[in-house]
Amino acid sequence: MTTSNTATVPGQSEHTAGRSATRPAPIRHWPDAVAVAMGTLLITWHGTWLGRWIVDDAAITFAYARSIDEGLGPVQQPGAEPVEGYSNPTWLALLVIGRRLGLFDHGSWFGVPDLVLFPKLLAVLCAAGILLAIACAAHRLVARPWVVTGLAGVLLAANPSFVAWTFSGLENPLYALLAVVLAAVLVRAITSGTLVTRRTAITCGLLAVAAALTRPDGAVLAGAYPLVLLVTLRRPELTARLRAAAYGVGAFALPYALFLVLRHVEFGRIVPNTAVAKSQGLPDVRTFAQTSGELLSFAGWPTVVVTVAVCAVALTRRGRLAAALPGVLVPLGLTLFAFGVLNPDWMGMYRFATPVWGLGAMALSLAAVSLAEQAAPHRRMLFAAALVGSLLFSVAAQWAPAANFRAKPTLAMCMVVKRHGVLFNEYADRLGVRHASVLTPSLGGTLLTSKLKVYDLAGLTEPRIADYLAADDIKGLQAYALDKLRPTFVHATDSWADKTGMKEPLLVSKGYVPLYRTSDGAGAWVRADAVGHSERLPAVRAWTRRVLPTAHTEDRQRCGQHLTPGLTAAGAHWG
């Protein structure tokens, strides 16, 4: 196969080259389509080991999508105050559109709840888009772009971190897609001589805006276009590049600034409430080195070494690849930096690294295939053996953590539905409590199914609690939660009980009695004055002892076809 690639001739300006270059034909060769399709199928097939698992944090965005589509505004449930308890407006918008079209949060497809199936189908489309973007970039650089696309598909499908968080229900696949598309735009602009043009600058700026509205750390991609202009700078073009950089920065800064103003007007903050609750601090060199080192160790040092080596060799050789590779490496470096400075994530399997994996696979595939095409046959075989060996080493090293994650994935939405939404609906009914409320740190499945007023102990949707957590003022949090909010029920276990002190001594002193209690004094509690001297308490406690263990032993991926407020244990197929 031959390509219709063009490159800037030395001494020819990029503007002239851009005018004389022939616009590449769209991908329509069957090998390219097969490579994209097969790579997508491999990624999707690996994703099936997660079954119907959706992480509970994704369900928080699901609840907001429901409220917005029903005309209630950005609230976690009817009657709540507007709070930006999400950090992914673009992903939220896709869910709202899906709900409006009747594809999401309306029931089930072929027995699978659309709350599960729709976000996973979006993930499949994003995976296909990632591979298509890589194919478009590869057409500018190699004779056999389908090999690049196929290799990238294998690398991503073999990466359990990429697969897990792509199919988690969170915004990860969209963020990775935007990062890879940005890299593809940069590669094609460099090779076609259109890098220093208004169109490229504005396109890159808008893609960075979309990334920043998909995840807050996506804002780092605003630096990709100016940095690529800098590292590919030729002295006579300084003025033109400064002008292009200004267009790119403006295309990002103006809409993003408008979004920040609208956020402040609506919510009274310039950052999402989730960022306040998580107490994200300033970048720290030690944290960056440790976090990034752990990520690279997970990727597998042989694979990391091979990637660095082939990219370094490619950069030292004259030609299109050396000129274009910064278009991938700069976004890769920015997303790796963003990952390194974020607070360590409790969810495991490197949740925030999804765009790093996409860009890393793109860089390795482009550089490896290009160098292999230029090598002698015997060296090509040695090169392929080194690449396959490093990949097998990485897969072997990742096997154990992947198996552990598969056996017990991070907090499943359905478990929260059963242990928080349904459980407290049942408590309210069995105790005869009306107009009840619950304070809990497990939010997504609770918001989708609880008929109670929900207060978020983790602070994601409670600004005052978020402020107390950010200030590490646990006494203030306790006073606000138990004296001002006065929830009917309190539920906290494990780390959140330890962090907030929501345990027996404090709760008893505030007038709560246990519904069930863990060995360390945490558990589920009800305000004594809400139930009075109810004779129902012993029966409710006995029911709890009978059904609660099944939340851990029953299928955590099945909790009813349609999750709506007031869901009962029978409707959730529980207990």
Side-chain angles (χ1 to χ4, degrees), residues 50-65:
L50 293 165
R52 298 185 181 186
W53 170 74
I54 293 288
V55 71
D56 186 64
D57 269 33
I60 299 175
T61 309
F62 296 177
Y64 273 94

Side-chain angles (χ1 to χ4, degrees), residues 48-99:
T48 59
W49 58 265
L50 293 165
R52 298 185 181 186
W53 170 74
I54 293 288
V55 71
D56 186 64
D57 269 33
I60 299 175
T61 309
F62 296 177
Y64 273 94
R66 175 184 291 177
S67 294
I68 291 171
D69 184 50
E70 292 179 351
L72 303 176
V75 298
Q76 65 173 4
Q77 61 182 155
E81 294 296 321
V83 177
E84 193 178 8
Y86 52 89
S87 56
N88 50 4
T90 53
W91 186 249
L92 172 63
L94 292 179
L95 298 178
V96 172
I97 292 170
R99 194 175 193 276

Side-chain angles (χ1 to χ4, degrees), residues 223-430:
Y225 181 66
L227 286 174
V228 169
L229 286 173
L230 179 63
V231 299
T232 60
L233 175 64
R234 288 197 292 268
R235 190 173 300 175
E237 299 171 339
L238 179 59
T239 301
R241 293 196 173 219
L242 287 175
R243 187 185 306 113
Y247 279 122
V249 171
F252 170 82
L254 292 178
Y256 194 59
L258 176 61
F259 170 75
L260 294 181
V261 170
L262 294 175
R263 169 188 278 162
H264 189 270
V265 170
E266 180 68 21
F267 304 111
R269 297 189 188 276
I270 61 171
V271 297
N273 193 68
T274 56
V276 178
K278 294 177 180 179
S279 307
Q280 175 64 48
L282 295 174
D284 178 81
V285 175
R286 186 187 310 173
T287 301
F288 172 77
Q290 178 181 349
T291 306
S292 300
E294 291 176 358
L295 181 68
L296 296 177
S297 295
F298 175 81
W301 284 109
T303 300
V304 172
V305 170
V306 168
T307 301
V308 171
V310 297
C311 290
V313 171
L315 289 171
T316 61
R317 298 190 174 186
R318 296 176 63 90
R320 278 179 301 205
L321 181 63
L325 200 53
V328 183
L329 296 181
V330 169
L332 174 59
L334 289 172
T335 53
L336 180 60
F337 170 78
F339 174 86
V341 301
L342 290 173
N343 289 338
D345 182 50
W346 66 274
M347 290 192 186
M349 289 293 284
Y350 305 98
R351 173 167 65 115
F352 299 139
T354 311
V356 177
W357 303 133
L359 291 166
M362 183 180 187
L364 175 57
S365 301
L366 284 171
V369 173
S370 179
L371 292 178
E373 287 182 344
Q374 301 172 33
H378 68 282
R379 290 186 178 180
R380 193 177 302 168
M381 294 297 295
L382 291 174
F383 187 64
L387 184 60
V388 171
S390 66
L391 178 60
L392 291 177
F393 181 90
S394 295
V395 171
Q398 295 165 4
W399 186 266
N404 292 336
F405 193 90
R406 177 179 181 178
K408 191 176 180 181
T410 300
L411 191 61
M413 176 183 70
C414 275
M415 180 182 287
V416 173
V417 166
K418 293 175 180 179
R419 290 204 60 180
H420 300 261
V422 169
L423 183 66
F424 287 91
N425 286 343
E426 289 281 344
Y427 281 156
D429 289 344
R430 291 170 184 264

